[in-house]
Amino acid sequence: MSFEEEMEELESAEDFLQYFQLDYDQTIVHVNRLHILQRFHDYLQQGADSMPGEEAAKRVVYSKLLMRAYQDFVESDAQTEKVFKVFHMDEPQVAFVSLGDIKT
């Protein structure tokens, strides 16, 4: 199976961390799993242009980026890191719907 195919089989943050044989604290992952995966994805997107084509080198880069994403949440928290758009909304979002637009 190719590296890309193996990656497609992984589902959870724990799956990724175990696949790359990275040590992790389950408590941190339990609280931040979606944030870690999103940050990992963001790091991969940022480095896409300089990603090596050779599989072994690509594995090393992926492993380092995943560890970096995990470390972000060891040293900080989800609210501080603001990974998801909802954390960037400083003010409540208001939508106006006129009474004429409401149908019964």
Side-chain angles (χ1 to χ4, degrees):
M1 203 180 314
S2 73
F3 176 63
E4 284 80 16
E5 290 170 334
E6 290 173 348
M7 293 295 292
E8 287 177 16
E9 296 292 316
L10 305 176
E11 296 178 1
S12 69
E14 291 89 346
D15 288 348
F16 281 89
L17 290 160
Q18 290 168 7
Y19 176 82
F20 289 106
Q21 300 176 346
L22 301 174
D23 292 330
Y24 64 95
D25 180 336
Q26 180 59 45
T27 307
I28 292 169
V29 175
H30 180 73
V31 173
N32 298 294
R33 67 176 31 97
L34 294 177
H35 301 277
I36 293 167
L37 289 175
Q38 183 61 52
R39 179 61 57 87
F40 178 47
H41 177 265
D42 293 345
Y43 286 154
L44 289 172
Q45 290 288 88
Q46 291 170 7
D49 292 339
S50 60
M51 187 63 65
E54 203 269 321
E55 195 169 288
K58 190 182 287 190
R59 285 177 192 267
V60 170
V61 171
Y62 272 57
S63 180
K64 287 180 180 181
L65 293 178
L66 179 58
M67 181 49 78
R68 181 175 164 201
Y70 168 75
Q71 267 318 117
D72 288 347
F73 296 94
V74 169
E75 298 168 7
S76 189
D77 59 46
Q79 195 165 14
T80 303
E81 293 299 315
K82 299 182 189 289
V83 173
F84 293 107
K85 181 180 176 183
V86 68
F87 289 116
H88 296 281
M89 295 178 176
D90 295 331
E91 298 178 18
Q93 303 297 308
V94 179
F96 177 78
V97 178
S98 70
L99 291 175
D101 290 340
I102 299 174
K103 303 209 192 278
T104 56

PDB file of all heavy atoms in Angstrom, residues 79-98:
ATOM      1  N   GLN A  79      -8.834  27.770  22.451  1.00  0.00           N
ATOM      2  CA  GLN A  79      -9.337  29.140  22.374  1.00  0.00           C
ATOM      3  C   GLN A  79      -8.216  30.120  22.025  1.00  0.00           C
ATOM      4  O   GLN A  79      -8.417  31.052  21.270  1.00  0.00           O
ATOM      5  CB  GLN A  79      -9.992  29.541  23.691  1.00  0.00           C
ATOM      6  CG  GLN A  79     -10.827  30.781  23.572  1.00  0.00           C
ATOM      7  CD  GLN A  79     -11.746  30.972  24.750  1.00  0.00           C
ATOM      8  OE1 GLN A  79     -11.607  30.330  25.774  1.00  0.00           O
ATOM      9  NE2 GLN A  79     -12.702  31.856  24.601  1.00  0.00           N
ATOM     10  N   THR A  80      -7.028  29.887  22.544  1.00  0.00           N
ATOM     11  CA  THR A  80      -5.888  30.742  22.237  1.00  0.00           C
ATOM     12  C   THR A  80      -5.415  30.527  20.802  1.00  0.00           C
ATOM     13  O   THR A  80      -5.092  31.480  20.088  1.00  0.00           O
ATOM     14  CB  THR A  80      -4.726  30.467  23.212  1.00  0.00           C
ATOM     15  OG1 THR A  80      -5.192  30.662  24.547  1.00  0.00           O
ATOM     16  CG2 THR A  80      -3.544  31.368  22.950  1.00  0.00           C
ATOM     17  N   GLU A  81      -5.364  29.283  20.361  1.00  0.00           N
ATOM     18  CA  GLU A  81      -4.867  28.952  19.024  1.00  0.00           C
ATOM     19  C   GLU A  81      -5.827  29.347  17.913  1.00  0.00           C
ATOM     20  O   GLU A  81      -5.412  29.578  16.780  1.00  0.00           O
ATOM     21  CB  GLU A  81      -4.547  27.465  18.929  1.00  0.00           C
ATOM     22  CG  GLU A  81      -3.378  27.032  19.788  1.00  0.00           C
ATOM     23  CD  GLU A  81      -2.086  27.720  19.405  1.00  0.00           C
ATOM     24  OE1 GLU A  81      -1.776  27.825  18.199  1.00  0.00           O
ATOM     25  OE2 GLU A  81      -1.379  28.162  20.333  1.00  0.00           O
ATOM     26  N   LYS A  82      -7.115  29.386  18.201  1.00  0.00           N
ATOM     27  CA  LYS A  82      -8.144  29.823  17.245  1.00  0.00           C
ATOM     28  C   LYS A  82      -8.021  29.140  15.882  1.00  0.00           C
ATOM     29  O   LYS A  82      -7.890  29.785  14.838  1.00  0.00           O
ATOM     30  CB  LYS A  82      -8.113  31.335  17.089  1.00  0.00           C
ATOM     31  CG  LYS A  82      -8.385  32.086  18.376  1.00  0.00           C
ATOM     32  CD  LYS A  82      -8.385  33.569  18.147  1.00  0.00           C
ATOM     33  CE  LYS A  82      -8.447  34.353  19.432  1.00  0.00           C
ATOM     34  NZ  LYS A  82      -9.656  34.345  20.148  1.00  0.00           N
ATOM     35  N   VAL A  83      -8.083  27.830  15.884  1.00  0.00           N
ATOM     36  CA  VAL A  83      -7.949  27.051  14.653  1.00  0.00           C
ATOM     37  C   VAL A  83      -9.182  27.184  13.760  1.00  0.00           C
ATOM     38  O   VAL A  83      -9.064  27.337  12.556  1.00  0.00           O
ATOM     39  CB  VAL A  83      -7.704  25.560  14.981  1.00  0.00           C
ATOM     40  CG1 VAL A  83      -7.719  24.712  13.734  1.00  0.00           C
ATOM     41  CG2 VAL A  83      -6.397  25.396  15.716  1.00  0.00           C
ATOM     42  N   PHE A  84     -10.355  27.154  14.366  1.00  0.00           N
ATOM     43  CA  PHE A  84     -11.594  27.166  13.588  1.00  0.00           C
ATOM     44  C   PHE A  84     -12.163  28.573  13.459  1.00  0.00           C
ATOM     45  O   PHE A  84     -11.973  29.431  14.325  1.00  0.00           O
ATOM     46  CB  PHE A  84     -12.633  26.234  14.223  1.00  0.00           C
ATOM     47  CG  PHE A  84     -12.242  24.792  14.155  1.00  0.00           C
ATOM     48  CD1 PHE A  84     -11.824  24.112  15.289  1.00  0.00           C
ATOM     49  CD2 PHE A  84     -12.255  24.102  12.956  1.00  0.00           C
ATOM     50  CE1 PHE A  84     -11.454  22.779  15.235  1.00  0.00           C
ATOM     51  CE2 PHE A  84     -11.884  22.769  12.886  1.00  0.00           C
ATOM     52  CZ  PHE A  84     -11.484  22.108  14.022  1.00  0.00           C
ATOM     53  N   LYS A  85     -12.897  28.814  12.402  1.00  0.00           N
ATOM     54  CA  LYS A  85     -13.465  30.129  12.087  1.00  0.00           C
ATOM     55  C   LYS A  85     -14.291  30.688  13.249  1.00  0.00           C
ATOM     56  O   LYS A  85     -14.263  31.890  13.500  1.00  0.00           O
ATOM     57  CB  LYS A  85     -14.330  30.018  10.827  1.00  0.00           C
ATOM     58  CG  LYS A  85     -14.949  31.324  10.403  1.00  0.00           C
ATOM     59  CD  LYS A  85     -15.796  31.155   9.167  1.00  0.00           C
ATOM     60  CE  LYS A  85     -16.475  32.463   8.826  1.00  0.00           C
ATOM     61  NZ  LYS A  85     -17.359  32.332   7.682  1.00  0.00           N
ATOM     62  N   VAL A  86     -15.005  29.858  13.941  1.00  0.00           N
ATOM     63  CA  VAL A  86     -15.873  30.325  15.016  1.00  0.00           C
ATOM     64  C   VAL A  86     -15.085  31.107  16.073  1.00  0.00           C
ATOM     65  O   VAL A  86     -15.609  32.024  16.690  1.00  0.00           O
ATOM     66  CB  VAL A  86     -16.643  29.142  15.660  1.00  0.00           C
ATOM     67  CG1 VAL A  86     -15.709  28.225  16.418  1.00  0.00           C
ATOM     68  CG2 VAL A  86     -17.743  29.644  16.571  1.00  0.00           C
ATOM     69  N   PHE A  87     -13.825  30.792  16.264  1.00  0.00           N
ATOM     70  CA  PHE A  87     -13.002  31.501  17.239  1.00  0.00           C
ATOM     71  C   PHE A  87     -12.550  32.874  16.728  1.00  0.00           C
ATOM     72  O   PHE A  87     -12.044  33.683  17.498  1.00  0.00           O
ATOM     73  CB  PHE A  87     -11.774  30.673  17.624  1.00  0.00           C
ATOM     74  CG  PHE A  87     -12.119  29.480  18.464  1.00  0.00           C
ATOM     75  CD1 PHE A  87     -11.892  28.202  17.983  1.00  0.00           C
ATOM     76  CD2 PHE A  87     -12.653  29.622  19.726  1.00  0.00           C
ATOM     77  CE1 PHE A  87     -12.196  27.091  18.753  1.00  0.00           C
ATOM     78  CE2 PHE A  87     -12.964  28.515  20.510  1.00  0.00           C
ATOM     79  CZ  PHE A  87     -12.737  27.252  20.020  1.00  0.00           C
ATOM     80  N   HIS A  88     -12.730  33.136  15.446  1.00  0.00           N
ATOM     81  CA  HIS A  88     -12.330  34.411  14.870  1.00  0.00           C
ATOM     82  C   HIS A  88     -13.482  35.407  14.818  1.00  0.00           C
ATOM     83  O   HIS A  88     -13.301  36.543  14.426  1.00  0.00           O
ATOM     84  CB  HIS A  88     -11.751  34.219  13.461  1.00  0.00           C
ATOM     85  CG  HIS A  88     -10.490  33.427  13.457  1.00  0.00           C
ATOM     86  ND1 HIS A  88      -9.274  33.962  13.785  1.00  0.00           N
ATOM     87  CD2 HIS A  88     -10.262  32.116  13.192  1.00  0.00           C
ATOM     88  CE1 HIS A  88      -8.345  33.035  13.719  1.00  0.00           C
ATOM     89  NE2 HIS A  88      -8.921  31.904  13.354  1.00  0.00           N
ATOM     90  N   MET A  89     -14.658  34.979  15.200  1.00  0.00           N
ATOM     91  CA  MET A  89     -15.823  35.861  15.207  1.00  0.00           C
ATOM     92  C   MET A  89     -15.836  36.627  16.525  1.00  0.00           C
ATOM     93  O   MET A  89     -16.217  36.099  17.559  1.00  0.00           O
ATOM     94  CB  MET A  89     -17.108  35.042  15.057  1.00  0.00           C
ATOM     95  CG  MET A  89     -17.238  34.332  13.758  1.00  0.00           C
ATOM     96  SD  MET A  89     -18.756  33.381  13.747  1.00  0.00           S
ATOM     97  CE  MET A  89     -18.740  32.741  12.119  1.00  0.00           C
ATOM     98  N   ASP A  90     -15.409  37.887  16.472  1.00  0.00           N
ATOM     99  CA  ASP A  90     -15.306  38.690  17.682  1.00  0.00           C
ATOM    100  C   ASP A  90     -16.664  39.168  18.189  1.00  0.00           C
ATOM    101  O   ASP A  90     -16.876  39.314  19.381  1.00  0.00           O
ATOM    102  CB  ASP A  90     -14.400  39.898  17.444  1.00  0.00           C
ATOM    103  CG  ASP A  90     -12.968  39.476  17.174  1.00  0.00           C
ATOM    104  OD1 ASP A  90     -12.560  38.417  17.689  1.00  0.00           O
ATOM    105  OD2 ASP A  90     -12.269  40.193  16.444  1.00  0.00           O
ATOM    106  N   GLU A  91     -17.559  39.448  17.276  1.00  0.00           N
ATOM    107  CA  GLU A  91     -18.861  39.955  17.664  1.00  0.00           C
ATOM    108  C   GLU A  91     -19.935  38.946  17.277  1.00  0.00           C
ATOM    109  O   GLU A  91     -19.776  38.192  16.328  1.00  0.00           O
ATOM    110  CB  GLU A  91     -19.133  41.275  16.955  1.00  0.00           C
ATOM    111  CG  GLU A  91     -18.138  42.357  17.317  1.00  0.00           C
ATOM    112  CD  GLU A  91     -18.408  43.645  16.560  1.00  0.00           C
ATOM    113  OE1 GLU A  91     -19.519  43.828  16.035  1.00  0.00           O
ATOM    114  OE2 GLU A  91     -17.488  44.462  16.496  1.00  0.00           O
ATOM    115  N   PRO A  92     -21.047  38.961  18.011  1.00  0.00           N
ATOM    116  CA  PRO A  92     -22.154  38.065  17.630  1.00  0.00           C
ATOM    117  C   PRO A  92     -22.618  38.366  16.212  1.00  0.00           C
ATOM    118  O   PRO A  92     -22.626  39.521  15.783  1.00  0.00           O
ATOM    119  CB  PRO A  92     -23.256  38.392  18.641  1.00  0.00           C
ATOM    120  CG  PRO A  92     -22.589  39.146  19.740  1.00  0.00           C
ATOM    121  CD  PRO A  92     -21.360  39.773  19.168  1.00  0.00           C
ATOM    122  N   GLN A  93     -22.951  37.347  15.493  1.00  0.00           N
ATOM    123  CA  GLN A  93     -23.426  37.506  14.129  1.00  0.00           C
ATOM    124  C   GLN A  93     -24.936  37.714  14.159  1.00  0.00           C
ATOM    125  O   GLN A  93     -25.662  36.963  14.807  1.00  0.00           O
ATOM    126  CB  GLN A  93     -23.068  36.268  13.296  1.00  0.00           C
ATOM    127  CG  GLN A  93     -21.589  35.955  13.283  1.00  0.00           C
ATOM    128  CD  GLN A  93     -20.773  37.060  12.643  1.00  0.00           C
ATOM    129  OE1 GLN A  93     -21.066  37.475  11.530  1.00  0.00           O
ATOM    130  NE2 GLN A  93     -19.759  37.521  13.344  1.00  0.00           N
ATOM    131  N   VAL A  94     -25.417  38.746  13.478  1.00  0.00           N
ATOM    132  CA  VAL A  94     -26.833  39.085  13.474  1.00  0.00           C
ATOM    133  C   VAL A  94     -27.340  38.991  12.046  1.00  0.00           C
ATOM    134  O   VAL A  94     -26.707  39.478  11.114  1.00  0.00           O
ATOM    135  CB  VAL A  94     -27.046  40.516  14.024  1.00  0.00           C
ATOM    136  CG1 VAL A  94     -28.517  40.877  13.991  1.00  0.00           C
ATOM    137  CG2 VAL A  94     -26.480  40.642  15.423  1.00  0.00           C
ATOM    138  N   ALA A  95     -28.466  38.365  11.910  1.00  0.00           N
ATOM    139  CA  ALA A  95     -29.109  38.285  10.601  1.00  0.00           C
ATOM    140  C   ALA A  95     -30.494  38.899  10.719  1.00  0.00           C
ATOM    141  O   ALA A  95     -31.187  38.709  11.722  1.00  0.00           O
ATOM    142  CB  ALA A  95     -29.216  36.844  10.144  1.00  0.00           C
ATOM    143  N   PHE A  96     -30.900  39.653   9.714  1.00  0.00           N
ATOM    144  CA  PHE A  96     -32.217  40.283   9.726  1.00  0.00           C
ATOM    145  C   PHE A  96     -33.129  39.528   8.777  1.00  0.00           C
ATOM    146  O   PHE A  96     -32.793  39.287   7.621  1.00  0.00           O
ATOM    147  CB  PHE A  96     -32.116  41.745   9.303  1.00  0.00           C
ATOM    148  CG  PHE A  96     -33.459  42.421   9.218  1.00  0.00           C
ATOM    149  CD1 PHE A  96     -34.096  42.849  10.366  1.00  0.00           C
ATOM    150  CD2 PHE A  96     -34.082  42.604   7.998  1.00  0.00           C
ATOM    151  CE1 PHE A  96     -35.337  43.460  10.293  1.00  0.00           C
ATOM    152  CE2 PHE A  96     -35.325  43.210   7.929  1.00  0.00           C
ATOM    153  CZ  PHE A  96     -35.952  43.637   9.080  1.00  0.00           C
ATOM    154  N   VAL A  97     -34.299  39.158   9.281  1.00  0.00           N
ATOM    155  CA  VAL A  97     -35.328  38.524   8.467  1.00  0.00           C
ATOM    156  C   VAL A  97     -36.591  39.334   8.676  1.00  0.00           C
ATOM    157  O   VAL A  97     -37.101  39.454   9.797  1.00  0.00           O
ATOM    158  CB  VAL A  97     -35.571  37.052   8.892  1.00  0.00           C
ATOM    159  CG1 VAL A  97     -36.672  36.432   8.067  1.00  0.00           C
ATOM    160  CG2 VAL A  97     -34.287  36.250   8.794  1.00  0.00           C
ATOM    161  N   SER A  98     -37.109  39.919   7.597  1.00  0.00           N
ATOM    162  CA  SER A  98     -38.318  40.726   7.729  1.00  0.00           C
ATOM    163  C   SER A  98     -39.526  39.811   7.909  1.00  0.00           C
ATOM    164  O   SER A  98     -39.517  38.647   7.498  1.00  0.00           O
ATOM    165  CB  SER A  98     -38.500  41.619   6.507  1.00  0.00           C
ATOM    166  OG  SER A  98     -38.839  40.835   5.383  1.00  0.00           O
TER     167      SER A  98
END
